[in-house]
Amino acid sequence: MALYCIGDLQGCNEPFQRLLQKIDFSPSRDTLYLLGDLVNRGPHSLAILRHLSRLGDAAQSLLGNHDLHLLALWQGMGKLHHSDTAQDILQASDRGALLDWLRHRNMAIHAHGWLMVHAGVLPQWSTAKTLALAAEVEQALRGSDLKGFLSGMYGNAPYQWHDGLQGADRLRVVVNALTRLRFCTPEGVMEFATKEGAEAAKHGYLPWFDVPGRQTEGTPVMFGHWSTLKAHDAQKPGSQLLPLDTGCVWGGCLTAAKLGATPAEYELISVACAQAQNPLP
């Protein structure tokens, strides 16, 4: 049995299929962990969801910001952006089954020694706290008031976590941290405007993984979301970090990490990707 973790697919089904062939993936034998942003901006989001949903337990997927955006569009929340390419899912005859499958995916996973998230973890959260808060969002996504949850999901504020947060504000902070976070202050105040690499941090902000004393510092963390991040900025000696969004949709690579017996032992396997989305102006 082999274990593979794969970064952001974003609807790029053709390189995904090539990567599965390259690693000789077998759903009867192997397990995939997908780090979120399964859909959108690439050309074949519908094919991605159909394929993954048929794999059963052989595919364990996280939800990214684009996946949550698709769920919101399905429920009549949010607005269609000019860069969105998931309309084929919304028009598909099997959209109900596919999107019900999607809303039952995870917000965070701790498996095989790795904490897996789509974007990041606030410095004040331990691994256990991260999983507990992720479970609160998962419960809302899977509950009877999906539309109510999604109606309160959008927005940047509150910018900082505190334990007294309740209701939509509480869930929004968790969603923003797990699916949008790149930079924050040492106190955990999030900043969402900067989307370039680690060197672009605004004054007073740091990449979330560079905050001194963050509570997950002793836990290996794997994440996607940040295609502009240079791998060496996160993979410092002893950092136990593995960024896996290698920019497939922008003409980079699609990358899988084949996990070894310990988090220190993994092999990176990539396929080249043609650019499927032009950079936004």
Side-chain angles (χ1 to χ4, degrees):
M1 180 185 80
L3 303 168
Y4 299 96
C5 298
I6 299 179
D8 302 35
L9 298 178
Q10 293 204 241
C12 296
N13 188 54
E14 189 274 333
F16 179 46
Q17 297 303 321
R18 282 193 285 113
L19 182 58
L20 293 181
Q21 291 178 1
K22 187 170 183 177
I23 63 177
D24 190 28
F25 172 73
S26 169
S28 64
R29 178 192 65 215
D30 306 323
T31 301
L32 297 176
Y33 290 89
L34 290 304
L35 298 184
D37 277 1
L38 309 176
V39 302
N40 213 13
R41 289 193 170 158
H44 299 121
S45 294
L46 179 58
I48 290 280
L49 286 193
R50 284 175 172 164
H51 185 115
L52 292 176
S53 65
R54 289 194 297 265
L55 291 178
D57 291 341
Q60 304 292 321
S61 300
L62 295 178
L63 290 166
N65 49 304
H66 284 282
D67 308 313
L68 292 172
H69 177 56
L70 173 60
L71 290 172
L73 293 174
W74 175 44
Q75 293 296 309
M77 305 295 161
K79 60 181 181 180
L80 200 65
H81 302 137
H82 75 273
S83 59
D84 289 340
T85 62
Q87 294 91 327
D88 55 348
I89 298 173
L90 298 171
Q91 296 166 2
S93 60
D94 55 346
R95 65 183 178 277
L98 291 173
L99 295 173
D100 188 63
W101 174 87
L102 187 64
R103 74 179 179 125
H104 283 80
R105 299 311 95 202
N106 294 99
M107 295 295 297
I109 294 173
H110 191 210
H112 312 292
W114 289 95
L115 175 60
M116 305 175 194
V117 295
H118 175 62
V121 181
L122 285 173
Q124 289 75 27
W125 294 353
S126 65
T127 299
K129 181 82 166 182
T130 301
L131 294 169
L133 293 174
E136 292 185 26
V137 176
E138 290 163 5
Q139 183 178 15
L141 281 164
R142 299 166 188 178
S144 59
D145 191 20
L146 175 61
K147 186 170 290 189
F149 163 70
L150 294 170
S151 69
M153 181 182 68
Y154 287 104
N156 293 339
Y159 288 87
Q160 185 176 21
W161 170 260
H162 62 84
D163 288 337
L165 286 171
Q166 297 182 358
D169 284 350
R170 181 182 179 90
L171 295 178
R172 192 181 310 116
V173 171
V174 178
V175 167
N176 284 342
L178 293 177
T179 69
R180 299 177 61 204
L181 180 62
R182 293 184 181 93
F183 298 98
C184 65
T185 69
E187 297 75 30
V189 177
M190 296 180 282
E191 189 271 309
F192 300 113
T194 307
K195 299 182 179 180
E196 293 80 21
E199 70 285 351
K202 293 183 178 179
H203 178 71
Y205 290 86
L206 296 165
W208 64 267
F209 49 78
D210 278 344
V211 172
R214 63 178 170 86
Q215 294 297 298
T216 52
E217 204 162 26
T219 302
V221 182
M222 187 182 304
F223 61 99
H225 183 62
W226 202 344
S227 64
T228 53
L229 181 69
K230 298 179 179 68
H232 62 74
D233 287 332
Q235 293 172 301
K236 298 165 186 172
S239 67
Q240 301 186 93
L241 294 164
L242 182 55
L244 279 178
D245 181 1
T246 47
C248 180
V249 76
W250 309 110
C253 296
L254 184 64
T255 300
K258 183 178 183 180
L259 303 187
T262 70
E265 302 172 71
Y266 61 82
E267 177 189 0
L268 296 180
I269 305 162
S270 299
V271 295
C273 304
Q275 184 162 312
Q277 177 71 49
N278 293 319
L280 298 179

